[in-house]
PDB file of all heavy atoms in Angstrom:
ATOM      1  N   MET A   1     -10.078   4.955 -35.756  1.00  0.00           N
ATOM      2  CA  MET A   1      -8.879   4.333 -35.486  1.00  0.00           C
ATOM      3  C   MET A   1      -7.642   5.390 -35.293  1.00  0.00           C
ATOM      4  O   MET A   1      -6.923   5.089 -34.369  1.00  0.00           O
ATOM      5  CB  MET A   1      -8.426   3.333 -36.619  1.00  0.00           C
ATOM      6  CG  MET A   1      -9.301   2.160 -36.661  1.00  0.00           C
ATOM      7  SD  MET A   1      -9.466   1.103 -35.317  1.00  0.00           S
ATOM      8  CE  MET A   1     -10.963   1.544 -34.566  1.00  0.00           C
ATOM      9  N   TRP A   2      -7.730   6.503 -35.926  1.00  0.00           N
ATOM     10  CA  TRP A   2      -6.705   7.481 -35.756  1.00  0.00           C
ATOM     11  C   TRP A   2      -6.912   8.094 -34.292  1.00  0.00           C
ATOM     12  O   TRP A   2      -5.968   8.348 -33.619  1.00  0.00           O
ATOM     13  CB  TRP A   2      -6.703   8.552 -36.770  1.00  0.00           C
ATOM     14  CG  TRP A   2      -5.609   9.558 -36.567  1.00  0.00           C
ATOM     15  CD1 TRP A   2      -5.704  10.777 -35.850  1.00  0.00           C
ATOM     16  CD2 TRP A   2      -4.175   9.476 -36.898  1.00  0.00           C
ATOM     17  NE1 TRP A   2      -4.488  11.370 -35.945  1.00  0.00           N
ATOM     18  CE2 TRP A   2      -3.644  10.589 -36.447  1.00  0.00           C
ATOM     19  CE3 TRP A   2      -3.429   8.385 -37.393  1.00  0.00           C
ATOM     20  CZ2 TRP A   2      -2.196  10.804 -36.687  1.00  0.00           C
ATOM     21  CZ3 TRP A   2      -2.299   8.693 -37.626  1.00  0.00           C
ATOM     22  CH2 TRP A   2      -1.601   9.807 -37.232  1.00  0.00           C
ATOM     23  N   ALA A   3      -8.123   8.264 -33.971  1.00  0.00           N
ATOM     24  CA  ALA A   3      -8.465   8.826 -32.699  1.00  0.00           C
ATOM     25  C   ALA A   3      -7.846   7.915 -31.552  1.00  0.00           C
ATOM     26  O   ALA A   3      -7.379   8.454 -30.485  1.00  0.00           O
ATOM     27  CB  ALA A   3      -9.958   9.043 -32.344  1.00  0.00           C
ATOM     28  N   LEU A   4      -7.837   6.716 -31.807  1.00  0.00           N
ATOM     29  CA  LEU A   4      -7.395   5.608 -30.744  1.00  0.00           C
ATOM     30  C   LEU A   4      -5.862   5.859 -30.846  1.00  0.00           C
ATOM     31  O   LEU A   4      -5.241   5.810 -29.781  1.00  0.00           O
ATOM     32  CB  LEU A   4      -7.785   4.263 -31.219  1.00  0.00           C
ATOM     33  CG  LEU A   4      -7.067   3.057 -30.471  1.00  0.00           C
ATOM     34  CD1 LEU A   4      -7.603   3.234 -29.004  1.00  0.00           C
ATOM     35  CD2 LEU A   4      -7.489   1.839 -30.894  1.00  0.00           C
ATOM     36  N   ILE A   5      -5.210   5.959 -32.038  1.00  0.00           N
ATOM     37  CA  ILE A   5      -3.762   6.054 -32.070  1.00  0.00           C
ATOM     38  C   ILE A   5      -3.269   7.316 -31.368  1.00  0.00           C
ATOM     39  O   ILE A   5      -2.345   7.337 -30.554  1.00  0.00           O
ATOM     40  CB  ILE A   5      -3.380   6.087 -33.436  1.00  0.00           C
ATOM     41  CG1 ILE A   5      -3.675   4.683 -34.179  1.00  0.00           C
ATOM     42  CG2 ILE A   5      -1.860   6.334 -33.734  1.00  0.00           C
ATOM     43  CD1 ILE A   5      -3.337   4.564 -35.685  1.00  0.00           C
ATOM     44  N   ALA A   6      -3.931   8.367 -31.704  1.00  0.00           N
ATOM     45  CA  ALA A   6      -3.490   9.821 -31.219  1.00  0.00           C
ATOM     46  C   ALA A   6      -3.714   9.815 -29.716  1.00  0.00           C
ATOM     47  O   ALA A   6      -3.040  10.414 -28.990  1.00  0.00           O
ATOM     48  CB  ALA A   6      -4.234  10.840 -31.963  1.00  0.00           C
ATOM     49  N   GLY A   7      -4.842   9.275 -29.285  1.00  0.00           N
ATOM     50  CA  GLY A   7      -5.324   9.280 -27.897  1.00  0.00           C
ATOM     51  C   GLY A   7      -4.312   8.566 -26.991  1.00  0.00           C
ATOM     52  O   GLY A   7      -3.855   9.109 -26.030  1.00  0.00           O
ATOM     53  N   ILE A   8      -3.855   7.364 -27.524  1.00  0.00           N
ATOM     54  CA  ILE A   8      -2.921   6.590 -26.692  1.00  0.00           C
ATOM     55  C   ILE A   8      -1.476   7.215 -26.555  1.00  0.00           C
ATOM     56  O   ILE A   8      -0.862   7.444 -25.496  1.00  0.00           O
ATOM     57  CB  ILE A   8      -2.794   5.252 -27.218  1.00  0.00           C
ATOM     58  CG1 ILE A   8      -3.980   4.425 -27.033  1.00  0.00           C
ATOM     59  CG2 ILE A   8      -1.565   4.503 -26.644  1.00  0.00           C
ATOM     60  CD1 ILE A   8      -3.924   2.977 -27.764  1.00  0.00           C
ATOM     61  N   LEU A   9      -1.224   7.895 -27.610  1.00  0.00           N
ATOM     62  CA  LEU A   9       0.246   8.621 -27.793  1.00  0.00           C
ATOM     63  C   LEU A   9       0.098   9.895 -26.943  1.00  0.00           C
ATOM     64  O   LEU A   9       1.144  10.235 -26.211  1.00  0.00           O
ATOM     65  CB  LEU A   9       0.703   8.707 -29.157  1.00  0.00           C
ATOM     66  CG  LEU A   9       0.870   7.438 -29.950  1.00  0.00           C
ATOM     67  CD1 LEU A   9       1.470   7.773 -31.332  1.00  0.00           C
ATOM     68  CD2 LEU A   9       1.928   6.553 -29.144  1.00  0.00           C
ATOM     69  N   ASN A  10      -0.869  10.703 -27.208  1.00  0.00           N
ATOM     70  CA  ASN A  10      -0.916  11.947 -26.402  1.00  0.00           C
ATOM     71  C   ASN A  10      -1.119  11.727 -25.012  1.00  0.00           C
ATOM     72  O   ASN A  10      -0.266  12.254 -24.234  1.00  0.00           O
ATOM     73  CB  ASN A  10      -2.010  12.782 -27.070  1.00  0.00           C
ATOM     74  CG  ASN A  10      -1.717  13.703 -28.229  1.00  0.00           C
ATOM     75  OD1 ASN A  10      -0.538  14.063 -28.322  1.00  0.00           O
ATOM     76  ND2 ASN A  10      -2.613  13.784 -29.242  1.00  0.00           N
ATOM     77  N   ASP A  11      -1.930  10.887 -24.653  1.00  0.00           N
ATOM     78  CA  ASP A  11      -2.205  10.701 -23.203  1.00  0.00           C
ATOM     79  C   ASP A  11      -0.958   9.838 -22.578  1.00  0.00           C
ATOM     80  O   ASP A  11      -0.694   9.955 -21.422  1.00  0.00           O
ATOM     81  CB  ASP A  11      -3.386   9.815 -22.931  1.00  0.00           C
ATOM     82  CG  ASP A  11      -4.724  10.493 -23.320  1.00  0.00           C
ATOM     83  OD1 ASP A  11      -4.665  11.762 -23.535  1.00  0.00           O
ATOM     84  OD2 ASP A  11      -5.807   9.899 -23.126  1.00  0.00           O
ATOM     85  N   GLY A  12      -0.382   9.149 -23.344  1.00  0.00           N
ATOM     86  CA  GLY A  12       0.875   8.389 -23.060  1.00  0.00           C
ATOM     87  C   GLY A  12       1.972   9.366 -22.446  1.00  0.00           C
ATOM     88  O   GLY A  12       2.647   9.020 -21.391  1.00  0.00           O
ATOM     89  N   THR A  13       2.191  10.387 -23.085  1.00  0.00           N
ATOM     90  CA  THR A  13       3.220  11.346 -22.631  1.00  0.00           C
ATOM     91  C   THR A  13       2.814  11.893 -21.250  1.00  0.00           C
ATOM     92  O   THR A  13       3.813  12.307 -20.572  1.00  0.00           O
ATOM     93  CB  THR A  13       3.295  12.583 -23.727  1.00  0.00           C
ATOM     94  OG1 THR A  13       2.102  13.363 -23.703  1.00  0.00           O
ATOM     95  CG2 THR A  13       3.639  12.191 -25.094  1.00  0.00           C
ATOM     96  N   LEU A  14       1.656  11.865 -20.784  1.00  0.00           N
ATOM     97  CA  LEU A  14       1.316  12.533 -19.555  1.00  0.00           C
ATOM     98  C   LEU A  14       1.045  11.374 -18.570  1.00  0.00           C
ATOM     99  O   LEU A  14       0.463  11.591 -17.453  1.00  0.00           O
ATOM    100  CB  LEU A  14      -0.062  13.264 -19.759  1.00  0.00           C
ATOM    101  CG  LEU A  14       0.157  14.513 -20.676  1.00  0.00           C
ATOM    102  CD1 LEU A  14      -1.275  15.206 -20.730  1.00  0.00           C
ATOM    103  CD2 LEU A  14       1.062  15.556 -20.134  1.00  0.00           C
ATOM    104  N   THR A  15       1.261  10.090 -18.866  1.00  0.00           N
ATOM    105  CA  THR A  15       0.909   8.946 -18.104  1.00  0.00           C
ATOM    106  C   THR A  15       1.387   9.133 -16.572  1.00  0.00           C
ATOM    107  O   THR A  15       0.549   9.073 -15.684  1.00  0.00           O
ATOM    108  CB  THR A  15       1.656   7.701 -18.603  1.00  0.00           C
ATOM    109  OG1 THR A  15       1.168   7.540 -19.799  1.00  0.00           O
ATOM    110  CG2 THR A  15       1.309   6.494 -17.649  1.00  0.00           C
ATOM    111  N   PHE A  16       2.641   9.423 -16.360  1.00  0.00           N
ATOM    112  CA  PHE A  16       3.129   9.554 -14.941  1.00  0.00           C
ATOM    113  C   PHE A  16       2.939  10.963 -14.457  1.00  0.00           C
ATOM    114  O   PHE A  16       2.643  11.086 -13.189  1.00  0.00           O
ATOM    115  CB  PHE A  16       4.552   9.173 -14.931  1.00  0.00           C
ATOM    116  CG  PHE A  16       4.847   7.723 -15.387  1.00  0.00           C
ATOM    117  CD1 PHE A  16       5.746   7.554 -16.420  1.00  0.00           C
ATOM    118  CD2 PHE A  16       4.186   6.719 -14.786  1.00  0.00           C
ATOM    119  CE1 PHE A  16       5.917   6.211 -16.838  1.00  0.00           C
ATOM    120  CE2 PHE A  16       4.464   5.405 -15.178  1.00  0.00           C
ATOM    121  CZ  PHE A  16       5.305   5.238 -16.201  1.00  0.00           C
ATOM    122  N   ILE A  17       2.957  12.001 -15.257  1.00  0.00           N
ATOM    123  CA  ILE A  17       2.778  13.279 -14.829  1.00  0.00           C
ATOM    124  C   ILE A  17       1.305  13.642 -14.281  1.00  0.00           C
ATOM    125  O   ILE A  17       1.109  14.224 -13.172  1.00  0.00           O
ATOM    126  CB  ILE A  17       3.006  14.315 -16.079  1.00  0.00           C
ATOM    127  CG1 ILE A  17       4.452  14.170 -16.582  1.00  0.00           C
ATOM    128  CG2 ILE A  17       2.662  15.659 -15.477  1.00  0.00           C
ATOM    129  CD1 ILE A  17       4.717  14.914 -17.768  1.00  0.00           C
ATOM    130  N   ALA A  18       0.304  13.095 -14.881  1.00  0.00           N
ATOM    131  CA  ALA A  18      -0.984  13.124 -14.500  1.00  0.00           C
ATOM    132  C   ALA A  18      -1.323  12.274 -13.334  1.00  0.00           C
ATOM    133  O   ALA A  18      -2.194  12.672 -12.480  1.00  0.00           O
ATOM    134  CB  ALA A  18      -2.116  12.780 -15.655  1.00  0.00           C
ATOM    135  N   ALA A  19      -0.570  11.275 -13.057  1.00  0.00           N
ATOM    136  CA  ALA A  19      -0.791  10.491 -11.816  1.00  0.00           C
ATOM    137  C   ALA A  19       0.231  10.648 -10.782  1.00  0.00           C
ATOM    138  O   ALA A  19       0.616   9.848 -10.046  1.00  0.00           O
ATOM    139  CB  ALA A  19      -0.735   8.946 -12.216  1.00  0.00           C
ATOM    140  N   GLU A  20       0.668  11.994 -10.791  1.00  0.00           N
ATOM    141  CA  GLU A  20       1.813  12.423  -9.878  1.00  0.00           C
ATOM    142  C   GLU A  20       1.524  11.942  -8.378  1.00  0.00           C
ATOM    143  O   GLU A  20       2.276  11.261  -7.787  1.00  0.00           O
ATOM    144  CB  GLU A  20       2.035  13.916  -9.820  1.00  0.00           C
ATOM    145  CG  GLU A  20       3.098  14.405  -8.778  1.00  0.00           C
ATOM    146  CD  GLU A  20       3.212  15.975  -8.905  1.00  0.00           C
ATOM    147  OE1 GLU A  20       2.602  16.527  -9.809  1.00  0.00           O
ATOM    148  OE2 GLU A  20       4.054  16.334  -8.066  1.00  0.00           O
ATOM    149  N   GLY A  21       0.281  12.234  -7.862  1.00  0.00           N
ATOM    150  CA  GLY A  21       0.043  11.853  -6.514  1.00  0.00           C
ATOM    151  C   GLY A  21       0.058  10.400  -6.114  1.00  0.00           C
ATOM    152  O   GLY A  21       0.644  10.004  -5.144  1.00  0.00           O
ATOM    153  N   MET A  22      -0.456   9.646  -7.073  1.00  0.00           N
ATOM    154  CA  MET A  22      -0.466   8.146  -6.921  1.00  0.00           C
ATOM    155  C   MET A  22       0.970   7.588  -7.004  1.00  0.00           C
ATOM    156  O   MET A  22       1.287   6.607  -6.300  1.00  0.00           O
ATOM    157  CB  MET A  22      -1.330   7.436  -7.900  1.00  0.00           C
ATOM    158  CG  MET A  22      -2.865   7.897  -7.745  1.00  0.00           C
ATOM    159  SD  MET A  22      -3.891   7.028  -9.036  1.00  0.00           S
ATOM    160  CE  MET A  22      -3.826   5.299  -8.431  1.00  0.00           C
ATOM    161  N   VAL A  23       1.723   8.127  -7.929  1.00  0.00           N
ATOM    162  CA  VAL A  23       3.100   7.624  -8.155  1.00  0.00           C
ATOM    163  C   VAL A  23       4.000   7.799  -6.901  1.00  0.00           C
ATOM    164  O   VAL A  23       4.661   6.991  -6.474  1.00  0.00           O
ATOM    165  CB  VAL A  23       3.730   8.370  -9.459  1.00  0.00           C
ATOM    166  CG1 VAL A  23       5.099   7.941  -9.497  1.00  0.00           C
ATOM    167  CG2 VAL A  23       3.033   7.872 -10.725  1.00  0.00           C
ATOM    168  N   LYS A  24       3.841   9.061  -6.299  1.00  0.00           N
ATOM    169  CA  LYS A  24       4.424   9.356  -5.187  1.00  0.00           C
ATOM    170  C   LYS A  24       4.052   8.677  -3.844  1.00  0.00           C
ATOM    171  O   LYS A  24       4.824   8.422  -2.899  1.00  0.00           O
ATOM    172  CB  LYS A  24       4.475  10.844  -4.824  1.00  0.00           C
ATOM    173  CG  LYS A  24       5.290  11.586  -5.960  1.00  0.00           C
ATOM    174  CD  LYS A  24       5.289  13.021  -5.664  1.00  0.00           C
ATOM    175  CE  LYS A  24       6.071  13.974  -6.574  1.00  0.00           C
ATOM    176  NZ  LYS A  24       6.143  15.315  -6.234  1.00  0.00           N
ATOM    177  N   GLN A  25       2.677   8.267  -3.725  1.00  0.00           N
ATOM    178  CA  GLN A  25       2.244   7.873  -2.489  1.00  0.00           C
ATOM    179  C   GLN A  25       1.927   6.326  -2.461  1.00  0.00           C
ATOM    180  O   GLN A  25       1.922   5.676  -1.365  1.00  0.00           O
ATOM    181  CB  GLN A  25       0.840   8.644  -2.162  1.00  0.00           C
ATOM    182  CG  GLN A  25       1.262  10.147  -1.986  1.00  0.00           C
ATOM    183  CD  GLN A  25      -0.165  10.825  -1.659  1.00  0.00           C
ATOM    184  OE1 GLN A  25      -1.089  10.267  -1.286  1.00  0.00           O
ATOM    185  NE2 GLN A  25      -0.192  12.005  -2.234  1.00  0.00           N
ATOM    186  N   LEU A  26       1.674   5.709  -3.597  1.00  0.00           N
ATOM    187  CA  LEU A  26       1.186   4.345  -3.755  1.00  0.00           C
ATOM    188  C   LEU A  26       2.239   3.475  -4.402  1.00  0.00           C
ATOM    189  O   LEU A  26       2.878   3.753  -5.426  1.00  0.00           O
ATOM    190  CB  LEU A  26      -0.128   4.222  -4.352  1.00  0.00           C
ATOM    191  CG  LEU A  26      -1.299   4.912  -3.760  1.00  0.00           C
ATOM    192  CD1 LEU A  26      -2.469   4.755  -4.615  1.00  0.00           C
ATOM    193  CD2 LEU A  26      -1.585   4.399  -2.412  1.00  0.00           C
ATOM    194  N   PRO A  27       2.614   2.277  -3.717  1.00  0.00           N
ATOM    195  CA  PRO A  27       3.670   1.523  -4.321  1.00  0.00           C
ATOM    196  C   PRO A  27       3.028   0.601  -5.386  1.00  0.00           C
ATOM    197  O   PRO A  27       3.176  -0.723  -5.283  1.00  0.00           O
ATOM    198  CB  PRO A  27       3.991   0.605  -3.057  1.00  0.00           C
ATOM    199  CG  PRO A  27       2.825   0.507  -2.150  1.00  0.00           C
ATOM    200  CD  PRO A  27       2.084   1.870  -2.476  1.00  0.00           C
ATOM    201  N   LEU A  28       2.466   1.069  -6.262  1.00  0.00           N
ATOM    202  CA  LEU A  28       1.858   0.292  -7.365  1.00  0.00           C
ATOM    203  C   LEU A  28       2.813   0.036  -8.543  1.00  0.00           C
ATOM    204  O   LEU A  28       3.874   1.054  -8.715  1.00  0.00           O
ATOM    205  CB  LEU A  28       0.650   1.133  -7.983  1.00  0.00           C
ATOM    206  CG  LEU A  28      -0.671   1.179  -7.115  1.00  0.00           C
ATOM    207  CD1 LEU A  28      -1.650   2.004  -7.859  1.00  0.00           C
ATOM    208  CD2 LEU A  28      -1.152  -0.103  -6.772  1.00  0.00           C
ATOM    209  N   PRO A  29       2.785  -0.934  -9.277  1.00  0.00           N
ATOM    210  CA  PRO A  29       3.696  -1.174 -10.429  1.00  0.00           C
ATOM    211  C   PRO A  29       3.407  -0.078 -11.437  1.00  0.00           C
ATOM    212  O   PRO A  29       2.325   0.324 -11.737  1.00  0.00           O
ATOM    213  CB  PRO A  29       3.314  -2.554 -11.049  1.00  0.00           C
ATOM    214  CG  PRO A  29       2.619  -3.283  -9.881  1.00  0.00           C
ATOM    215  CD  PRO A  29       2.015  -2.122  -9.119  1.00  0.00           C
ATOM    216  N   LYS A  30       4.504   0.500 -12.050  1.00  0.00           N
ATOM    217  CA  LYS A  30       4.423   1.727 -12.860  1.00  0.00           C
ATOM    218  C   LYS A  30       3.608   1.370 -14.235  1.00  0.00           C
ATOM    219  O   LYS A  30       2.999   2.117 -14.686  1.00  0.00           O
ATOM    220  CB  LYS A  30       5.756   2.125 -13.299  1.00  0.00           C
ATOM    221  CG  LYS A  30       6.546   2.681 -12.069  1.00  0.00           C
ATOM    222  CD  LYS A  30       5.980   3.845 -11.347  1.00  0.00           C
ATOM    223  CE  LYS A  30       6.844   4.462 -10.262  1.00  0.00           C
ATOM    224  NZ  LYS A  30       7.139   3.404  -9.212  1.00  0.00           N
ATOM    225  N   ILE A  31       3.583  -0.020 -14.484  1.00  0.00           N
ATOM    226  CA  ILE A  31       2.869  -0.370 -15.749  1.00  0.00           C
ATOM    227  C   ILE A  31       1.429  -0.252 -15.549  1.00  0.00           C
ATOM    228  O   ILE A  31       0.623  -0.153 -16.557  1.00  0.00           O
ATOM    229  CB  ILE A  31       3.258  -1.971 -16.120  1.00  0.00           C
ATOM    230  CG1 ILE A  31       2.916  -2.129 -17.522  1.00  0.00           C
ATOM    231  CG2 ILE A  31       2.556  -2.876 -15.145  1.00  0.00           C
ATOM    232  CD1 ILE A  31       3.907  -1.527 -18.484  1.00  0.00           C
ATOM    233  N   VAL A  32       0.858  -0.076 -14.277  1.00  0.00           N
ATOM    234  CA  VAL A  32      -0.468   0.123 -14.091  1.00  0.00           C
ATOM    235  C   VAL A  32      -0.992   1.401 -14.916  1.00  0.00           C
ATOM    236  O   VAL A  32      -2.090   1.327 -15.380  1.00  0.00           O
ATOM    237  CB  VAL A  32      -0.690   0.260 -12.530  1.00  0.00           C
ATOM    238  CG1 VAL A  32      -2.051   0.934 -12.381  1.00  0.00           C
ATOM    239  CG2 VAL A  32      -0.760  -1.098 -11.832  1.00  0.00           C
ATOM    240  N   TYR A  33      -0.130   2.393 -14.872  1.00  0.00           N
ATOM    241  CA  TYR A  33      -0.531   3.781 -15.400  1.00  0.00           C
ATOM    242  C   TYR A  33      -0.574   3.611 -16.894  1.00  0.00           C
ATOM    243  O   TYR A  33      -1.389   4.408 -17.610  1.00  0.00           O
ATOM    244  CB  TYR A  33       0.356   4.708 -14.956  1.00  0.00           C
ATOM    245  CG  TYR A  33       0.545   4.847 -13.338  1.00  0.00           C
ATOM    246  CD1 TYR A  33       1.560   4.401 -12.689  1.00  0.00           C
ATOM    247  CD2 TYR A  33      -0.578   5.224 -12.604  1.00  0.00           C
ATOM    248  CE1 TYR A  33       1.641   4.485 -11.327  1.00  0.00           C
ATOM    249  CE2 TYR A  33      -0.572   5.375 -11.307  1.00  0.00           C
ATOM    250  CZ  TYR A  33       0.620   4.858 -10.629  1.00  0.00           C
ATOM    251  OH  TYR A  33       0.619   4.737  -9.212  1.00  0.00           O
ATOM    252  N   ILE A  34       0.171   2.796 -17.403  1.00  0.00           N
ATOM    253  CA  ILE A  34       0.123   2.585 -18.962  1.00  0.00           C
ATOM    254  C   ILE A  34      -1.093   1.889 -19.274  1.00  0.00           C
ATOM    255  O   ILE A  34      -1.859   2.144 -20.275  1.00  0.00           O
ATOM    256  CB  ILE A  34       1.378   1.833 -19.479  1.00  0.00           C
ATOM    257  CG1 ILE A  34       2.668   2.707 -19.356  1.00  0.00           C
ATOM    258  CG2 ILE A  34       1.102   1.375 -20.975  1.00  0.00           C
ATOM    259  CD1 ILE A  34       2.540   3.885 -20.198  1.00  0.00           C
TER     260      ILE A  34
END
C-alpha cells in the first residue's frame, strides 16, 4: 500500500512534465494525465 501511495505522489509531480509533447500538441482535458 505504501508503494501505491508513494508511486501516485512521486509520479504525480511529473504528470504534465512527462507528458510535455501531448500537453502542447493535443487538446485533451488536463485531468486525463492525472
Side-chain angles (χ1 to χ4, degrees):
M1 292 299 104
W2 182 264
L4 175 63
I5 292 172
I8 291 176
L9 296 183
N10 274 322
D11 289 355
T13 62
L14 301 172
T15 297
F16 301 124
I17 299 172
E20 177 182 356
M22 296 182 67
V23 170
K24 289 182 176 179
Q25 297 177 30
L26 299 177
L28 294 174
K30 301 297 187 298
I31 201 70
V32 161
Y33 305 106
I34 290 294

